[in-house]
Amino acid sequence: MNSKFLRNFSFSLIVIGYIYYIYRYIIATSFLIGGTTYYVLFDDAMISMRYAYNLAHGLGPVWNAGERVEGFTNPLWVGIMALVHLLPIGLNQTGLVIQIIGASFLTFNLFLVKKIVEHFTDDLCAMLAAVTLTAFYVPLNSYGLLGMEVSLLVLMLTAIIWLILKSDDRFNLWVYILLAVSTLVRFDMAVPYIVILIVLFIGQKDHRKQHLIRGLGLLVLFIGGQTLVRYMYYGALLPNTYYLKVEGWNFTLRILRGLYALVQFVYYSNWMLIFLPFTLFLFHRNWKVALLALVLLGQIAYSVFVGGDAWEDHGGANRYIVIAMPLFFISFSWSVVELLKKAAEHLTTKGTLRPSSRQAKEHEGKILLAQGRVPTARDGGRSNQKIFEVGWRVVFIIMFAFSILNFNALIGEWKSIERWSFTRRPDYVAGGDRNLQIALALENVTRPGASVAVVGAGTIPYFLPDLYAMDILGKADPYIAHQTVRTSMGIPDIPYMRPGHMKWDYAYTFGTLKPDVIVSIWEGTAEEAAPYLEDYVYATIAERVKVYLRKDSLNILWDKVNR
């Protein structure tokens, strides 16, 4: 069978399997309520969707009409979402379109993973393993298929690496153009931009001037340009979420929280497997191999710097690290092949394999005589070589099977594998279901213009576009964002710190703003919130849905409330 045909056929089977997996995933993350199917994204993605909705309806990129607060960090992704809102479909279906777009990006990414592996090695096992590990990695699918910009970023980063490898030692301006555009998707893509710029500056000695002038120039132009636009429109140099996550948080504790998150990730991913890709430097010492490693390390360092993410308790790579995970899986698969090949070659050279019995040796001789050949010592070596080749590939398959289960058992629990295989609901879906139920219930008991205070600032405000939303945790509230953190801030508290979820002010949100509805309060703050809830009644507005309603509110349809 033609080897090229075998490679393409095997790869096609993986892609087809992944497309079917995507179909199952989208079905598993949708909800049928009252005869209508709703497609709900990750709650942070739904924050971007509310901005996109307002942008598409002529209100500008705002969370509430007339309030210019940049509660997102993904302007280009919000722009794509806004285009989706121009389609003649209901709010229940816009999420599906975003999921399809994300799925398309993740699927195309597999083709680039294949090309990168084949640039380094023609081994079929390495290519198939890298593609499969990338395709079915839970965090990549959780973020990418639930509407986060991760799907676009991972595609762009993999494409950039492929362009660099394809260009070899030639300067390729498209590398920097793509990197520059990626900073519009998330401005912290400046991190891989700088890492790649440094690697290319060192590795491509003949083009250092071009890298310095064009590469650095585009970075300054795009970061400076969007900072200027941000300041002119929002009146701030950085997104509101940056101040929320970084300002008012002790630097040392932030770094320690980032290191804690990293240790968790490495521990549950199996530290031996995590460090395997770095063995490539035993066999290949060039800037291209270093590029794969340094981009990943750059994302890890950035994750530590910002204190990690808010969802590490779900396990696996967080949003900062996950965009470089295809590069990890490429290096991982390639390194395992290299190590096993070297081991097999060593055993063959040393001649450690001996015929297990005289009968086996005589049988081999008879076969050679039947072919008209005289058995020689070389035939024995060839036989050993074939046996070792089969042997190391069997070991590789076993390692692959162990690795794909290991990487997807996110916090060492079998529940993660059950979610991965759809015997349980996928991660983050329960929260989306709950928030959707609340939004539909509130729509039934409130008048247009009512104000609602939320902890989850995405799904509920998105499905209630006519309501005025208040963000208790400050993603879209500059007053909260610029406060100091309210959680306990000691070394023992590090495991409980959640970036972006550590600031609130009930005296301001409940006491001063006085929302008509308070959906919920932040976990562990019941005693602090109690004095401000005296003017509210905790009422049932739908089956299994209870919220706080302001007693004197004229925006509540009290006849529909079960008190």
Side-chain angles (χ1 to χ4, degrees):
M1 182 180 292
N2 183 274
S3 60
K4 184 176 181 181
F5 173 79
L6 177 61
R7 297 178 73 83
N8 292 335
F9 179 74
S10 303
F11 173 75
S12 298
L13 289 180
I14 296 174
V15 172
I16 292 171
Y18 181 59
I19 292 173
Y20 176 69
Y21 182 86
I22 290 170
Y23 166 76
R24 291 284 307 277
Y25 191 96
I26 292 176
I27 294 298
T29 56
S30 62
F31 312 104
L32 181 62
I33 300 176
T36 301
T37 302
Y38 293 84
Y39 299 90
V40 180
L41 308 176
F42 192 83
D43 199 67
D44 267 26
M46 297 301 283
I47 295 175
S48 299
M49 289 283 276
R50 181 170 168 101
Y51 277 91
Y53 174 90
N54 286 330
L55 177 60
H57 286 77
L59 301 175
V62 295
W63 198 56
N64 285 316
E67 295 182 352
R68 296 191 177 188
V69 181
E70 189 181 10
F72 60 93
T73 53
N74 49 0
L76 186 57
W77 190 240
V78 169
I80 293 172
M81 288 177 160
L83 293 177
V84 171
H85 283 83
L86 298 178
L87 298 175
I89 56 177
L91 295 185
N92 64 303
Q93 294 180 308
T94 52
L96 173 61
V97 178
I98 298 297
Q99 286 184 294
I100 292 172
I101 291 172
S104 302
F105 290 154
L106 292 177
T107 303
F108 188 61
N109 181 63
L110 300 181
F111 289 83
L112 294 172
V113 169
K114 175 178 180 289
K115 287 180 176 294
I116 292 174
V117 177
E118 290 175 342
H119 176 85
F120 289 112
T121 176
D122 61 357
D123 188 86
L124 179 63
C125 286
M127 184 272 287
L128 295 179
V131 171
T132 305
L133 289 169
T134 300
F136 298 101
Y137 186 50
V138 168
L140 195 53
N141 288 311
S142 293
Y143 295 126
L145 296 178
L146 285 180
M148 299 298 285
E149 67 278 0
V150 162
S151 60
L152 178 55
L153 289 178
V154 74
L155 173 62
M156 295 185 78
L157 186 57
T158 311
I160 288 162
I161 299 300
W162 165 237
L163 278 177
I164 293 170
L165 298 175
K166 185 180 178 182
S167 302
D168 200 14
D169 289 322
R170 299 187 305 275
F171 177 83
N172 190 336
L173 183 60
W174 279 105
V175 169
Y176 290 111
I177 292 174
L178 273 180
L179 280 168
V181 173
S182 73
T183 64
L184 297 177
V185 183
R186 275 189 70 92
F187 83 100
D188 51 18
M189 281 298 287
V191 174
Y193 194 124
I194 293 171
V195 170
I196 291 170
L197 174 61
I198 292 173
V199 172
L200 292 180
F201 180 81
I202 295 173
Q204 296 182 347
K205 298 179 182 179
D206 296 333
H207 305 287
R208 287 181 173 175
K209 185 177 179 180
Q210 290 172 293
H211 289 300
L212 195 60
I213 295 176
R214 298 185 182 184
L216 192 58
L218 277 173
L219 175 62
V220 172
L221 176 64
F222 272 71
I223 294 296
Q226 60 182 297
T227 301
L228 178 61
V229 171
R230 177 184 299 115
Y231 184 77
M232 292 174 63
Y233 190 82
Y234 294 107
L237 293 175
L238 294 167
N240 191 64
T241 50
Y242 173 86
Y243 300 109
L244 178 70
K245 293 181 179 181
V246 176
E247 196 175 87
W249 188 7
N250 179 275
F251 175 79
T252 302
L253 284 176
R254 191 174 81 236
I255 297 299
L256 289 175
R257 168 58 172 76
L259 288 172
Y260 171 80
L262 175 60
V263 169
Q264 267 203 318
F265 166 62
V266 172
Y267 175 77
Y268 284 115
S269 298
N270 192 321
W271 67 269
M272 293 181 66
L273 298 184
I274 289 292
F275 287 105
L276 261 181
F278 296 97
T279 61
L280 284 174
F281 291 105
L282 298 174
F283 315 115
H284 307 279
R285 298 175 185 175
N286 58 67
W287 66 267
K288 293 182 179 180
V289 176
L291 176 66
L292 301 182
L294 290 174
V295 169
L296 174 63
L297 291 175
Q299 292 306 111
I300 290 173
Y302 179 68
S303 174
V304 171
F305 175 76
V306 297
D309 206 357
W311 298 283
E312 271 97 0
D313 58 325
H314 290 260
N318 63 27
R319 289 181 299 165
Y320 311 117
I321 298 174
V322 78
I323 65 171
M325 286 305 288
L327 305 183
F328 169 80
F329 291 132
I330 290 167
S331 302
F332 173 81
S333 303
W334 182 25
S335 66
V336 173
V337 165
E338 290 287 302
L339 287 169
L340 292 177
K341 272 186 177 180
K342 294 297 180 184
E345 289 173 6
H346 177 73
L347 291 175
T348 303
T349 303
K350 294 296 183 181
T352 55
L353 183 67
R354 296 287 185 266
S356 58
S357 67
R358 177 178 296 179
Q359 288 79 9
K361 189 173 182 180
E362 290 176 352
H363 178 70
E364 183 180 358
K366 289 178 181 178
I367 293 175
L368 292 173
L369 288 171
Q371 296 173 349
R373 296 170 54 197
V374 177
T376 64
R378 181 178 298 177
D379 291 317
R382 288 174 179 168
S383 177
N384 289 353
Q385 186 177 2
K386 290 179 180 178
I387 292 173
F388 278 124
E389 171 131 7
V390 172
W392 79 254
R393 291 193 182 278
V394 170
V395 173
F396 181 89
I397 292 171
I398 294 171
M399 282 196 66
F400 166 76
F402 170 76
S403 298
I404 196 168
L405 288 173
N406 173 82
F407 290 135
N408 288 295
L410 299 182
I411 49 176
E413 290 184 352
W414 192 253
K415 289 180 181 179
S416 299
I417 300 299
E418 292 175 337
R419 294 188 182 99
W420 180 53
S421 59
F422 302 119
T423 52
R424 282 179 181 263
R425 298 170 84 183
D427 226 352
Y428 306 108
V429 174
D433 188 6
R434 177 65 179 167
N435 287 332
L436 175 62
Q437 297 279 0
I438 294 171
L440 296 178
L442 285 174
E443 185 179 33
N444 188 50
V445 301
T446 56
R447 301 181 190 277
S451 57
V452 54
V454 294
V455 168
T459 303
I460 296 172
Y462 176 74
F463 283 105
L464 299 171
D466 295 329
L467 268 62
Y468 179 83
M470 301 176 185
D471 187 356
I472 293 173
L473 297 181
K475 298 180 190 66
D477 189 324
Y479 176 84
I480 299 294
H482 286 282
Q483 301 298 306
T484 57
V485 297
R486 299 294 298 272
T487 57
S488 299
M489 298 300 288
I491 299 295
D493 303 307
I494 287 174
Y496 310 104
M497 295 176 183
R498 294 183 62 188
H501 298 71
M502 300 192 296
K503 297 179 181 180
W504 59 88
D505 188 339
Y506 293 145
Y508 164 74
T509 306
F510 300 162
T512 301
L513 299 183
K514 298 183 181 300
D516 296 301
V517 181
I518 300 173
V519 171
S520 62
I521 59 175
W522 185 231
E523 55 194 39
T525 63
E527 186 176 345
E528 183 180 350
Y532 305 100
L533 299 178
E534 293 178 356
D535 295 331
Y536 289 80
V537 57
Y538 193 50
T540 300
I541 59 173
E543 184 179 356
R544 294 181 298 145
V545 177
K546 296 187 72 174
V547 296
Y548 298 93
L549 302 175
R550 202 176 78 232
K551 296 175 182 178
D552 61 351
S553 174
L554 300 178
N555 289 317
I556 306 297
L557 302 176
W558 293 103
D559 58 316
K560 295 185 178 181
V561 176
N562 182 4
R563 289 190 275 185

